[in-house]
Amino acid sequence: MTIRTLGADHRFSELSPTAVAERLRALHAGEPSTFSRLSCGGAGGAFGAGAMAGLTVSGSRPNFAVVTGVSAGALVAPYAFLGPEWTLVFSSPSRVERIKAFCNREGSEHSSALACIAANL
């Protein structure tokens, strides 16, 4: 497997995952790196988008150092990489607030707030 990158010279190159990881470690020395792979096609793409939205609403979404995507996952990947504030730009704030209130109520049948949010997006 190789990862295709676009360089500052506007040329593509193919790198091994190890080479990419080494570059990231050098760029972000001493910082943890979080990766996401969204390889969902068709209806599975809604799951990837819902997972990102659920992580955002719950406040547990990390900032990703690398995000890759295939098919519908490739459409979600840029927003996953840009961060939580971009996901909320494309979400209805009133809907998000209603879901948060619903999930935070007493007697919710879900095991966690994140599971409740993901089930209701």
Side-chain angles (χ1 to χ4, degrees):
M1 177 177 79
T2 60
I3 298 172
R4 193 170 186 196
T5 63
L6 181 63
D9 60 358
H10 302 283
R11 298 179 68 161
F12 285 101
S13 61
E14 291 188 13
L15 302 170
S16 71
T18 304
V20 171
E22 288 171 358
R23 284 186 180 187
L24 282 171
R25 284 188 198 105
L27 285 171
H28 303 284
E31 298 174 20
S33 295
T34 305
F35 300 81
S36 177
R37 178 181 60 175
L38 301 166
S39 55
C40 312
F47 176 82
M52 285 298 141
L55 288 168
T56 301
V57 171
S58 72
S60 60
R61 179 170 162 186
N63 288 316
F64 295 105
V66 174
V67 180
T68 65
V70 174
S71 190
L75 300 173
V76 176
Y79 300 103
F81 179 76
L82 288 172
E85 44 293 327
W86 283 92
T87 299
L88 293 176
V89 166
F90 296 101
S91 299
S92 165
S94 61
R95 181 169 188 229
V96 170
E97 290 306 315
R98 285 194 315 267
I99 291 170
K100 284 171 73 173
F102 175 78
C103 292
N104 288 328
R105 76 187 193 295
E106 285 189 43
S108 176
E109 66 274 12
H110 296 281
S111 61
S112 69
L114 180 58
C116 179
I117 292 165
N120 288 285
L121 284 175

Short mmCIF file of all heavy atoms in Angstrom, two decimals, residues 36-95:
data_model
loop_
_atom_site.label_atom_id
_atom_site.label_comp_id
_atom_site.label_asym_id
_atom_site.label_seq_id
_atom_site.Cartn_x
_atom_site.Cartn_y
_atom_site.Cartn_z
N SER A 36 -7.31 8.83 10.84
CA SER A 36 -8.65 8.33 10.54
C SER A 36 -8.67 7.81 9.12
O SER A 36 -8.12 8.43 8.22
CB SER A 36 -9.69 9.44 10.69
OG SER A 36 -10.97 8.96 10.34
N ARG A 37 -9.32 6.67 8.94
CA ARG A 37 -9.49 6.09 7.61
C ARG A 37 -10.99 5.88 7.40
O ARG A 37 -11.63 5.14 8.13
CB ARG A 37 -8.76 4.76 7.51
CG ARG A 37 -8.94 4.09 6.19
CD ARG A 37 -8.23 2.79 6.15
NE ARG A 37 -8.77 1.94 7.20
CZ ARG A 37 -8.42 0.69 7.39
NH1 ARG A 37 -7.53 0.15 6.63
NH2 ARG A 37 -8.97 -0.02 8.36
N LEU A 38 -11.53 6.56 6.42
CA LEU A 38 -12.96 6.49 6.13
C LEU A 38 -13.16 5.77 4.80
O LEU A 38 -13.19 6.38 3.75
CB LEU A 38 -13.56 7.90 6.06
CG LEU A 38 -13.41 8.75 7.32
CD1 LEU A 38 -13.72 10.21 7.03
CD2 LEU A 38 -14.30 8.21 8.41
N SER A 39 -13.25 4.47 4.84
CA SER A 39 -13.41 3.71 3.60
C SER A 39 -14.82 3.16 3.51
O SER A 39 -15.04 1.97 3.62
CB SER A 39 -12.37 2.60 3.52
OG SER A 39 -12.44 1.78 4.66
N CYS A 40 -15.76 4.05 3.38
CA CYS A 40 -17.18 3.67 3.35
C CYS A 40 -17.76 4.07 2.01
O CYS A 40 -17.67 5.22 1.62
CB CYS A 40 -17.95 4.40 4.44
SG CYS A 40 -17.20 4.35 6.06
N GLY A 41 -18.37 3.13 1.33
CA GLY A 41 -19.04 3.45 0.08
C GLY A 41 -20.54 3.37 0.24
O GLY A 41 -21.05 2.72 1.14
N GLY A 42 -21.25 4.06 -0.62
CA GLY A 42 -22.71 4.00 -0.62
C GLY A 42 -23.31 4.41 0.70
O GLY A 42 -22.96 5.43 1.28
N ALA A 43 -24.20 3.58 1.21
CA ALA A 43 -24.89 3.88 2.48
C ALA A 43 -23.91 3.92 3.64
O ALA A 43 -24.17 4.59 4.64
CB ALA A 43 -25.97 2.85 2.75
N GLY A 44 -22.78 3.21 3.52
CA GLY A 44 -21.77 3.23 4.57
C GLY A 44 -21.18 4.62 4.76
O GLY A 44 -20.65 4.94 5.82
N GLY A 45 -21.24 5.47 3.73
CA GLY A 45 -20.73 6.83 3.84
C GLY A 45 -21.48 7.64 4.88
O GLY A 45 -20.90 8.49 5.54
N ALA A 46 -22.77 7.36 5.03
CA ALA A 46 -23.56 8.06 6.04
C ALA A 46 -23.07 7.69 7.44
O ALA A 46 -23.09 8.51 8.35
CB ALA A 46 -25.04 7.71 5.89
N PHE A 47 -22.61 6.45 7.61
CA PHE A 47 -22.07 6.05 8.91
C PHE A 47 -20.83 6.86 9.24
O PHE A 47 -20.69 7.37 10.36
CB PHE A 47 -21.74 4.55 8.93
CG PHE A 47 -21.11 4.13 10.22
CD1 PHE A 47 -21.89 3.85 11.34
CD2 PHE A 47 -19.72 4.04 10.34
CE1 PHE A 47 -21.30 3.48 12.53
CE2 PHE A 47 -19.14 3.68 11.53
CZ PHE A 47 -19.92 3.40 12.64
N GLY A 48 -19.90 6.99 8.29
CA GLY A 48 -18.68 7.77 8.53
C GLY A 48 -18.99 9.22 8.87
O GLY A 48 -18.41 9.79 9.79
N ALA A 49 -19.93 9.82 8.13
CA ALA A 49 -20.32 11.21 8.40
C ALA A 49 -20.99 11.31 9.76
O ALA A 49 -20.71 12.23 10.53
CB ALA A 49 -21.25 11.71 7.30
N GLY A 50 -21.85 10.35 10.09
CA GLY A 50 -22.53 10.35 11.39
C GLY A 50 -21.56 10.15 12.53
O GLY A 50 -21.71 10.76 13.60
N ALA A 51 -20.56 9.30 12.32
CA ALA A 51 -19.55 9.08 13.36
C ALA A 51 -18.78 10.36 13.65
O ALA A 51 -18.56 10.72 14.81
CB ALA A 51 -18.60 7.96 12.96
N MET A 52 -18.39 11.09 12.60
CA MET A 52 -17.68 12.36 12.79
C MET A 52 -18.57 13.37 13.50
O MET A 52 -18.14 14.06 14.42
CB MET A 52 -17.22 12.93 11.45
CG MET A 52 -16.05 12.24 10.85
SD MET A 52 -14.59 12.37 11.90
CE MET A 52 -13.95 10.74 11.66
N ALA A 53 -19.84 13.45 13.08
CA ALA A 53 -20.76 14.39 13.72
C ALA A 53 -20.99 14.01 15.17
O ALA A 53 -21.04 14.88 16.05
CB ALA A 53 -22.08 14.43 12.95
N GLY A 54 -21.14 12.71 15.44
CA GLY A 54 -21.35 12.25 16.82
C GLY A 54 -20.16 12.56 17.71
O GLY A 54 -20.33 13.00 18.85
N LEU A 55 -18.96 12.34 17.21
CA LEU A 55 -17.76 12.67 17.98
C LEU A 55 -17.69 14.17 18.24
O LEU A 55 -17.29 14.61 19.33
CB LEU A 55 -16.50 12.21 17.24
CG LEU A 55 -16.25 10.71 17.21
CD1 LEU A 55 -15.14 10.36 16.22
CD2 LEU A 55 -15.91 10.19 18.60
N THR A 56 -18.09 14.97 17.26
CA THR A 56 -18.06 16.42 17.41
C THR A 56 -19.06 16.87 18.47
O THR A 56 -18.71 17.62 19.39
CB THR A 56 -18.39 17.10 16.07
OG1 THR A 56 -17.42 16.69 15.11
CG2 THR A 56 -18.37 18.61 16.20
N VAL A 57 -20.30 16.41 18.36
CA VAL A 57 -21.34 16.82 19.31
C VAL A 57 -21.02 16.39 20.73
O VAL A 57 -21.27 17.11 21.68
CB VAL A 57 -22.72 16.27 18.86
CG1 VAL A 57 -23.78 16.50 19.91
CG2 VAL A 57 -23.13 16.92 17.54
N SER A 58 -20.40 15.19 20.87
CA SER A 58 -20.07 14.70 22.21
C SER A 58 -18.84 15.39 22.80
O SER A 58 -18.55 15.23 23.98
CB SER A 58 -19.82 13.19 22.16
OG SER A 58 -18.59 12.91 21.52
N GLY A 59 -18.11 16.13 21.96
CA GLY A 59 -16.91 16.81 22.44
C GLY A 59 -15.69 15.93 22.54
O GLY A 59 -14.68 16.31 23.11
N SER A 60 -15.75 14.73 21.96
CA SER A 60 -14.62 13.80 22.07
C SER A 60 -13.87 13.61 20.76
O SER A 60 -13.06 12.71 20.63
CB SER A 60 -15.11 12.45 22.59
OG SER A 60 -16.07 11.90 21.71
N ARG A 61 -14.12 14.46 19.79
CA ARG A 61 -13.47 14.31 18.49
C ARG A 61 -12.04 14.85 18.55
O ARG A 61 -11.81 15.99 18.92
CB ARG A 61 -14.25 15.05 17.43
CG ARG A 61 -13.62 14.96 16.07
CD ARG A 61 -14.56 15.51 15.06
NE ARG A 61 -13.89 15.83 13.83
CZ ARG A 61 -14.48 16.43 12.84
NH1 ARG A 61 -15.74 16.77 12.94
NH2 ARG A 61 -13.83 16.69 11.74
N PRO A 62 -11.07 14.03 18.14
CA PRO A 62 -9.68 14.51 18.13
C PRO A 62 -9.41 15.35 16.89
O PRO A 62 -10.19 15.35 15.94
CB PRO A 62 -8.87 13.21 18.08
CG PRO A 62 -9.75 12.24 17.37
CD PRO A 62 -11.16 12.62 17.76
N ASN A 63 -8.31 16.05 16.91
CA ASN A 63 -7.80 16.70 15.70
C ASN A 63 -6.93 15.68 15.01
O ASN A 63 -5.96 15.18 15.59
CB ASN A 63 -7.01 17.97 16.03
CG ASN A 63 -7.91 19.07 16.49
OD1 ASN A 63 -8.96 19.31 15.91
ND2 ASN A 63 -7.52 19.75 17.56
N PHE A 64 -7.28 15.34 13.78
CA PHE A 64 -6.57 14.29 13.06
C PHE A 64 -5.34 14.84 12.34
O PHE A 64 -5.41 15.88 11.69
CB PHE A 64 -7.49 13.63 12.03
CG PHE A 64 -8.64 12.90 12.65
CD1 PHE A 64 -9.91 13.45 12.62
CD2 PHE A 64 -8.46 11.68 13.27
CE1 PHE A 64 -10.99 12.78 13.20
CE2 PHE A 64 -9.52 11.01 13.85
CZ PHE A 64 -10.79 11.56 13.81
N ALA A 65 -4.24 14.12 12.44
CA ALA A 65 -3.03 14.49 11.70
C ALA A 65 -3.14 14.04 10.26
O ALA A 65 -2.65 14.70 9.35
CB ALA A 65 -1.80 13.86 12.35
N VAL A 66 -3.80 12.91 10.03
CA VAL A 66 -3.98 12.36 8.70
C VAL A 66 -5.39 11.79 8.61
O VAL A 66 -5.85 11.12 9.52
CB VAL A 66 -2.97 11.22 8.41
CG1 VAL A 66 -3.26 10.55 7.08
CG2 VAL A 66 -1.55 11.74 8.44
N VAL A 67 -6.06 12.07 7.50
CA VAL A 67 -7.36 11.47 7.21
C VAL A 67 -7.33 11.00 5.77
O VAL A 67 -6.95 11.74 4.87
CB VAL A 67 -8.52 12.48 7.39
CG1 VAL A 67 -9.85 11.82 7.08
CG2 VAL A 67 -8.53 13.05 8.79
N THR A 68 -7.72 9.75 5.55
CA THR A 68 -7.84 9.23 4.20
C THR A 68 -9.26 8.76 4.00
O THR A 68 -9.97 8.46 4.95
CB THR A 68 -6.88 8.06 3.95
OG1 THR A 68 -7.24 6.96 4.79
CG2 THR A 68 -5.43 8.45 4.22
N GLY A 69 -9.67 8.67 2.75
CA GLY A 69 -11.02 8.21 2.47
C GLY A 69 -11.13 7.60 1.10
O GLY A 69 -10.42 7.96 0.18
N VAL A 70 -12.03 6.63 0.99
CA VAL A 70 -12.33 5.98 -0.28
C VAL A 70 -13.82 6.14 -0.53
O VAL A 70 -14.63 6.03 0.40
CB VAL A 70 -11.95 4.48 -0.22
CG1 VAL A 70 -12.40 3.75 -1.47
CG2 VAL A 70 -10.47 4.33 0.00
N SER A 71 -14.20 6.40 -1.76
CA SER A 71 -15.60 6.53 -2.16
C SER A 71 -16.25 7.65 -1.34
O SER A 71 -15.73 8.77 -1.30
CB SER A 71 -16.32 5.19 -2.00
OG SER A 71 -17.61 5.23 -2.59
N ALA A 72 -17.37 7.38 -0.68
CA ALA A 72 -18.04 8.42 0.10
C ALA A 72 -17.14 8.92 1.23
O ALA A 72 -17.23 10.08 1.63
CB ALA A 72 -19.36 7.91 0.66
N GLY A 73 -16.26 8.06 1.72
CA GLY A 73 -15.31 8.47 2.76
C GLY A 73 -14.38 9.57 2.28
O GLY A 73 -13.93 10.41 3.06
N ALA A 74 -14.08 9.58 0.97
CA ALA A 74 -13.24 10.63 0.41
C ALA A 74 -13.95 11.98 0.42
O ALA A 74 -13.31 13.02 0.47
CB ALA A 74 -12.83 10.28 -1.02
N LEU A 75 -15.29 11.95 0.39
CA LEU A 75 -16.05 13.20 0.46
C LEU A 75 -16.11 13.74 1.89
O LEU A 75 -16.18 14.94 2.11
CB LEU A 75 -17.47 12.98 -0.07
CG LEU A 75 -17.56 12.52 -1.53
CD1 LEU A 75 -19.00 12.18 -1.88
CD2 LEU A 75 -17.01 13.58 -2.45
N VAL A 76 -16.09 12.86 2.86
CA VAL A 76 -16.15 13.24 4.28
C VAL A 76 -14.76 13.61 4.79
O VAL A 76 -14.62 14.47 5.67
CB VAL A 76 -16.74 12.09 5.12
CG1 VAL A 76 -16.72 12.42 6.61
CG2 VAL A 76 -18.16 11.77 4.67
N ALA A 77 -13.72 13.00 4.24
CA ALA A 77 -12.35 13.15 4.75
C ALA A 77 -11.88 14.61 4.90
O ALA A 77 -11.30 14.95 5.93
CB ALA A 77 -11.37 12.35 3.89
N PRO A 78 -12.12 15.49 3.92
CA PRO A 78 -11.63 16.87 4.11
C PRO A 78 -12.22 17.55 5.34
O PRO A 78 -11.54 18.27 6.05
CB PRO A 78 -12.07 17.59 2.83
CG PRO A 78 -12.23 16.51 1.82
CD PRO A 78 -12.70 15.31 2.59
N TYR A 79 -13.51 17.31 5.61
CA TYR A 79 -14.15 17.93 6.77
C TYR A 79 -13.66 17.29 8.07
O TYR A 79 -13.53 17.96 9.07
CB TYR A 79 -15.67 17.86 6.64
CG TYR A 79 -16.11 18.59 5.40
CD1 TYR A 79 -16.49 17.90 4.26
CD2 TYR A 79 -16.10 19.97 5.36
CE1 TYR A 79 -16.85 18.58 3.11
CE2 TYR A 79 -16.46 20.66 4.21
CZ TYR A 79 -16.83 19.95 3.09
OH TYR A 79 -17.18 20.62 1.96
N ALA A 80 -13.37 15.99 8.01
CA ALA A 80 -12.81 15.32 9.19
C ALA A 80 -11.44 15.91 9.50
O ALA A 80 -11.09 16.13 10.65
CB ALA A 80 -12.72 13.82 8.94
N PHE A 81 -10.66 16.17 8.46
CA PHE A 81 -9.32 16.73 8.65
C PHE A 81 -9.38 18.17 9.12
O PHE A 81 -8.61 18.58 10.00
CB PHE A 81 -8.51 16.64 7.35
CG PHE A 81 -7.13 17.23 7.47
CD1 PHE A 81 -6.14 16.54 8.14
CD2 PHE A 81 -6.85 18.47 6.95
CE1 PHE A 81 -4.87 17.09 8.28
CE2 PHE A 81 -5.59 19.02 7.08
CZ PHE A 81 -4.59 18.33 7.75
N LEU A 82 -10.31 18.97 8.58
CA LEU A 82 -10.38 20.39 8.94
C LEU A 82 -10.74 20.62 10.39
O LEU A 82 -10.37 21.63 10.97
CB LEU A 82 -11.39 21.11 8.03
CG LEU A 82 -10.93 21.30 6.60
CD1 LEU A 82 -12.07 21.84 5.76
CD2 LEU A 82 -9.73 22.24 6.54
N GLY A 83 -11.49 19.69 11.00
CA GLY A 83 -11.78 19.81 12.42
C GLY A 83 -13.24 19.98 12.74
O GLY A 83 -14.08 20.19 11.87
N PRO A 84 -13.54 19.90 14.05
CA PRO A 84 -14.93 19.93 14.51
C PRO A 84 -15.70 21.18 14.12
O PRO A 84 -16.89 21.11 13.83
CB PRO A 84 -14.80 19.86 16.03
CG PRO A 84 -13.44 19.34 16.30
CD PRO A 84 -12.59 19.72 15.13
N GLU A 85 -15.04 22.32 14.08
CA GLU A 85 -15.79 23.53 13.76
C GLU A 85 -16.37 23.51 12.35
O GLU A 85 -17.42 24.07 12.10
CB GLU A 85 -14.96 24.80 14.01
CG GLU A 85 -13.55 24.86 13.55
CD GLU A 85 -12.53 23.95 14.24
OE1 GLU A 85 -12.61 23.64 15.43
OE2 GLU A 85 -11.63 23.53 13.52
N TRP A 86 -15.73 22.79 11.43
CA TRP A 86 -16.26 22.68 10.07
C TRP A 86 -17.44 21.73 10.00
O TRP A 86 -18.35 21.92 9.20
CB TRP A 86 -15.17 22.25 9.10
CG TRP A 86 -14.27 23.39 8.79
CD1 TRP A 86 -13.11 23.73 9.44
CD2 TRP A 86 -14.48 24.40 7.81
NE1 TRP A 86 -12.59 24.87 8.92
CE2 TRP A 86 -13.41 25.30 7.90
CE3 TRP A 86 -15.46 24.63 6.86
CZ2 TRP A 86 -13.30 26.41 7.08
CZ3 TRP A 86 -15.34 25.72 6.03
CH2 TRP A 86 -14.27 26.61 6.15
N THR A 87 -17.46 20.70 10.82
CA THR A 87 -18.62 19.80 10.83
C THR A 87 -19.85 20.55 11.29
O THR A 87 -20.93 20.40 10.71
CB THR A 87 -18.37 18.60 11.77
OG1 THR A 87 -17.24 17.89 11.30
CG2 THR A 87 -19.57 17.68 11.82
N LEU A 88 -19.70 21.39 12.29
CA LEU A 88 -20.84 22.12 12.81
C LEU A 88 -21.35 23.17 11.83
O LEU A 88 -22.53 23.52 11.85
CB LEU A 88 -20.50 22.76 14.16
CG LEU A 88 -20.25 21.75 15.28
CD1 LEU A 88 -19.83 22.46 16.54
CD2 LEU A 88 -21.47 20.88 15.52
N VAL A 89 -20.50 23.64 10.92
CA VAL A 89 -20.94 24.57 9.89
C VAL A 89 -22.01 23.92 9.03
O VAL A 89 -22.96 24.55 8.60
CB VAL A 89 -19.74 25.03 9.02
CG1 VAL A 89 -20.21 25.72 7.76
CG2 VAL A 89 -18.83 25.95 9.82
N PHE A 90 -21.87 22.61 8.80
CA PHE A 90 -22.80 21.89 7.93
C PHE A 90 -23.90 21.17 8.70
O PHE A 90 -24.66 20.41 8.13
CB PHE A 90 -22.02 20.90 7.06
CG PHE A 90 -21.09 21.62 6.14
CD1 PHE A 90 -19.74 21.69 6.43
CD2 PHE A 90 -21.57 22.26 5.02
CE1 PHE A 90 -18.88 22.37 5.59
CE2 PHE A 90 -20.71 22.95 4.18
CZ PHE A 90 -19.36 23.02 4.46
N SER A 91 -23.98 21.37 10.00
CA SER A 91 -25.03 20.76 10.82
C SER A 91 -26.04 21.84 11.20
O SER A 91 -25.70 23.01 11.31
CB SER A 91 -24.44 20.17 12.10
OG SER A 91 -23.51 19.18 11.79
N SER A 92 -27.24 21.43 11.45
CA SER A 92 -28.25 22.36 11.92
C SER A 92 -28.06 22.55 13.42
O SER A 92 -28.24 21.60 14.18
CB SER A 92 -29.64 21.79 11.65
OG SER A 92 -30.60 22.48 12.39
N PRO A 93 -27.69 23.75 13.87
CA PRO A 93 -27.47 23.95 15.31
C PRO A 93 -28.70 23.59 16.14
O PRO A 93 -28.58 23.02 17.22
CB PRO A 93 -27.14 25.43 15.42
CG PRO A 93 -26.63 25.81 14.08
CD PRO A 93 -27.38 24.95 13.10
N SER A 94 -29.89 23.91 15.65
CA SER A 94 -31.08 23.60 16.44
C SER A 94 -31.26 22.09 16.56
O SER A 94 -31.65 21.59 17.61
CB SER A 94 -32.32 24.24 15.82
OG SER A 94 -32.53 23.74 14.51
N ARG A 95 -30.96 21.34 15.50
CA ARG A 95 -31.07 19.88 15.56
C ARG A 95 -30.04 19.31 16.53
O ARG A 95 -30.34 18.42 17.32
CB ARG A 95 -30.89 19.28 14.17
CG ARG A 95 -31.02 17.78 14.18
CD ARG A 95 -31.10 17.22 12.78
NE ARG A 95 -31.41 15.81 12.87
CZ ARG A 95 -30.76 14.87 12.23
NH1 ARG A 95 -29.77 15.17 11.44
NH2 ARG A 95 -31.10 13.62 12.37
#
